[in-house]
């Protein structure tokens, strides 16, 4: 990798794993938007940083995922022999129609607005149980003890993971994020990825058997039945997409809750306002999504030559990385100081859930989980203080932006 290390004087515009970039990517984004909005990186990918190009690329049919081709192009012809890449190639997130349409069609019913609204009481109960257990201690890590437990519990409910299996998921590692970063994985990281993929696959195979024998009212039962139909779903697709749903179903929501709480405590005026006017929570969640998105980037591949994207020609087969976090701070869309947190900001429509056919399935679920988690915490522990709001410790991944820990006391 060292051939791409440049002296500080000509620091690269886009260096997403650099510590200062992870700590605060937003000044770097502003530099990109103003100097080179569709930037060609040393790794050969284009990076779109303005709202206009980002929304276009996500919605335009001339762009797709083309995962296998794109990955072979980056790692060489043998890469699809690696189990972790083979598994990811079956994720609906990495698929183009018609496979994408078929896979998404099998799970979309579990995430309808109606279904998700009906989960409110259960979400509230999980948050209250967590706080009942933790309030007497007078301190906690807001990530591990609070933000993490809720989405893991809810996705376990939805998938039909039995209660007595869940402890492993609560204490499980949160280091899968590297797989998504736009910087190639080292052989060592691929080996780790293969190992955790194998563990997950082994566990879910056992769970599929259990649900074939004793069906439940859950997503895994539903998908196992689709798999038996043969035409709808192969076993490899079933396993890969359950792994995707499990990861996507908690990682990003943990970060939304954590990033939201950090931004409130870094902006005490906004924290005071939300405590005084709890009904602002729905708009506040949209502003948290905009202000510091849990997912910073999504990618597409040009399926044909594109003559003009922000002044650049994109040849067929080239990748365009869409910087969601940057688009969310574009002054062309948010003229009233996009760098400020404002929970009363009108017309917030963050791109944090992506767009087009890959728009996040769990968007509404994530919003409701964050809304209930944050408003209940503020109501039940009004005097909560962060130990250190200034020097927050970020996880060393870029695409999934989130905190390692966030200690607090009251």
């Amino acid at each position: 990798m060292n051939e791409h290390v440049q002296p500080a004087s000509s620091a690269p515009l886009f260096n997403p794993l650099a510590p200062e970039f992870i700590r605060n990517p937003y000044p770097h984004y502003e530099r990109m938007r103003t100097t080179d909005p569709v930037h060609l990186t040393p790794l050969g990918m284009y990076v779109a940083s303005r709202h206009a190009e980002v929304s276009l690329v996500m919605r335009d049919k001339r762009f797709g995922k083309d995962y296998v081709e794109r990955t072979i192009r980056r790692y060489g012809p043998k890469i699809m022999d690696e189990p972790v890449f083979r598994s990811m190639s079956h994720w609906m997130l990495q698929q183009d129609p018609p496979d994408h349409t078929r896979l998404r069609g099998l799970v979309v019913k579990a995430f309808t607005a109606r279904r998700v609204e009906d989960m409110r009481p259960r979400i509230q109960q999980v948050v209250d149980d967590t706080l009942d257990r933790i309030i007497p201690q007078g301190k906690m890590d807001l990530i591990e003890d609070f933000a993490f437990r809720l989405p893991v519990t809810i996705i376990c409910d939805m998938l039909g993971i039995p209660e007595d299996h869940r402890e492993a998921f609560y204490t499980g590692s949160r280091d899968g994020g590297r797989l998504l970063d736009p910087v190639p994985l080292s052989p060592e990281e691929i080996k780790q990825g293969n190992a955790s993929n194998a563990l997950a696959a082994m566990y879910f195979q056992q769970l599929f058997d259990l649900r074939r024998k004793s069906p439940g009212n859950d997503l895994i039962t539903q998908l196992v039945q689709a798999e038996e139909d043969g035409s709808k779903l192969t076993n490899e697709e079933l396993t890969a997409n359950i792994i995707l749903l499990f990861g996507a179903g908690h990682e990003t929501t943990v970060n939304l809750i954590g990033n939201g709480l950090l931004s409130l405590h870094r902006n005490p005026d906004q924290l005071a306002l939300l405590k005084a006017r709890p009904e602002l929570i729905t708009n506040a969640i949209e502003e948290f999504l905009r202000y510091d998105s849990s997912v910073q980037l999504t990618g597409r591949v040009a399926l044909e030559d594109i003559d003009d994207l922000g002044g650049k020609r994109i040849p067929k087969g080239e990748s365009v990385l869409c910087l969601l976090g940057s688009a969310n701070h574009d002054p062309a869309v948010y003229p009233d100081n996009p760098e400020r947190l404002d929970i009363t900001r009108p017309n917030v429509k963050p791109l944090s859930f992506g767009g087009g056919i890959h728009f996040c399935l769990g968007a509404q679920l994530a919003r409701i989980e964050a809304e209930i988690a944050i408003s209940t915490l503020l109501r039940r522990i009004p005097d909560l203080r962060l130990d250190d709001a200034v020097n927050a410790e970020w996880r060393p991944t870029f695409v999934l932006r989130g905190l390692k820990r966030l200690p607090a006391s009251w």
Side-chain angles (χ1 to χ4, degrees):
M1 280 302 298
N2 11 11
E3 74 271 23
H4 298 308
V5 175
Q6 293 161 312
S9 58
S10 68
L13 262 186
F14 182 62
N15 187 13
L17 293 185
E20 66 279 8
F21 207 104
I22 282 176
R23 196 166 51 242
N24 180 8
Y26 299 100
H28 302 272
Y29 291 160
E30 188 185 8
R31 213 172 103 205
M32 290 172 75
R33 285 193 306 269
T34 48
T35 61
D36 194 9
V38 178
H39 169 67
L40 180 58
T41 70
L43 290 171
M45 293 170 277
Y46 291 84
V47 184
S49 53
R50 290 190 302 208
H51 193 282
E53 287 82 14
V54 167
S55 24
L56 177 97
V57 170
M58 292 194 297
R59 292 173 174 81
D60 191 318
K61 298 223 182 334
R62 295 173 303 168
F63 290 93
K65 288 290 183 169
D66 205 13
Y67 179 78
V68 174
E69 275 309 300
R70 178 180 95 218
T71 309
I72 285 174
R73 199 176 174 140
R74 192 198 272 181
Y75 289 97
K78 287 214 158 10
I79 192 66
M80 283 302 150
D81 299 344
E82 299 288 354
V84 68
F85 285 98
R86 204 167 55 238
S87 173
M88 283 166 72
S89 74
H90 292 295
W91 288 3
M92 65 183 89
L93 179 62
Q94 305 289 14
Q95 294 277 5
D96 294 309
D99 287 323
H100 172 263
T101 319
R102 168 177 57 89
L103 292 168
R104 189 170 169 120
L106 290 172
V107 299
V108 68
K109 284 194 283 302
F111 292 93
T112 58
R114 184 61 222 277
R115 273 270 177 95
V116 171
E117 272 302 322
D118 289 345
M119 289 156 71
R120 271 184 190 269
R122 170 66 174 151
I123 294 169
Q124 185 67 60
Q125 177 206 345
V126 175
V127 173
D128 281 325
D129 289 351
T130 304
L131 290 177
D132 290 344
R133 203 178 55 247
I134 239 146
I135 284 174
Q137 298 170 11
K139 61 174 192 144
M140 68 165 142
D141 171 5
L142 282 166
I143 303 300
E144 193 177 327
D145 301 325
F146 181 68
F148 189 64
R149 278 198 92 92
L150 169 66
V152 173
T153 303
I154 299 302
I155 197 71
C156 284
D157 283 357
M158 291 180 78
L159 292 176
I161 294 173
E163 291 284 348
D164 53 346
H165 294 188
R166 293 186 184 185
E167 212 34 58
F169 291 104
Y170 291 131
T171 52
S173 76
R174 298 172 59 224
D175 55 13
R178 254 307 266 136
L179 291 171
L180 302 170
D181 282 333
V183 176
L185 299 175
S186 67
E188 189 44 47
E189 288 174 314
I190 292 176
K191 217 167 84 185
Q192 275 173 337
N194 285 337
S196 28
N197 187 260
L199 272 175
M202 207 163 69
Y203 171 73
F204 286 120
Q205 289 302 328
Q206 292 170 0
L207 189 52
F208 300 155
D209 289 339
L210 177 68
R211 289 294 168 242
R212 286 186 189 100
K213 293 189 197 74
S214 56
N217 180 23
D218 57 66
L219 205 43
I220 283 183
T221 300
Q222 197 186 310
L223 291 178
V224 161
Q225 288 164 354
E227 182 213 15
E228 286 167 354
D229 188 0
S231 61
K232 290 205 182 90
L233 196 65
T234 66
N235 188 268
E236 212 173 359
E237 287 176 327
L238 171 63
T239 311
N241 282 289
I242 291 295
I243 290 174
L244 167 68
L245 286 170
F246 181 78
H250 75 281
E251 273 289 355
T252 48
T253 309
V254 174
N255 295 350
L256 169 55
I257 296 169
N259 298 4
L261 287 168
L262 177 65
S263 63
L264 276 178
H265 283 86
R266 284 179 165 178
N267 294 274
D269 62 317
Q270 298 296 298
L271 178 60
L273 180 60
L274 187 53
K275 283 178 175 170
R277 299 180 52 199
E279 73 279 2
L280 288 174
I281 187 67
T282 313
N283 198 65
I285 298 298
E286 297 310 297
E287 176 69 349
F288 299 149
L289 284 160
R290 184 200 71 80
Y291 181 74
D292 203 6
S293 177
S294 328
V295 180
Q296 288 285 313
L297 176 156
T298 183
R300 299 287 190 274
V301 171
L303 302 176
E304 54 185 76
D305 290 338
I306 310 288
D307 288 334
D308 178 11
L309 181 72
K312 297 275 168 82
R313 196 178 160 274
I314 313 287
K316 176 180 174 174
E318 294 296 343
S319 293
V320 179
L321 306 178
C322 298
L323 292 176
L324 304 173
S326 176
N328 285 340
H329 282 234
D330 190 335
V333 182
Y334 300 103
D336 185 16
N337 190 357
E339 301 304 322
R340 194 182 76 224
L341 182 76
D342 175 6
I343 62 171
T344 63
R345 188 185 294 276
N347 307 319
V348 188
K349 296 190 174 55
L351 295 179
S352 312
F353 291 116
I357 63 171
H358 292 285
F359 183 80
C360 174
L361 262 176
Q364 205 40 32
L365 176 60
R367 286 182 171 114
I368 290 177
E369 287 181 346
E371 184 182 309
I372 293 176
I374 292 174
S375 53
T376 307
L377 182 73
L378 298 185
R379 189 181 71 243
R380 292 196 53 189
I381 316 183
D383 56 341
L384 177 122
R385 302 176 300 279
L386 296 188
D387 295 6
D388 186 354
V390 182
N391 307 300
E393 219 183 315
W394 295 95
R395 297 170 60 200
T397 55
F398 167 68
V399 171
L400 298 181
R401 176 166 173 78
L403 296 154
K404 250 190 206 153
R405 55 183 69 85
L406 192 57
S409 55
W410 52 93

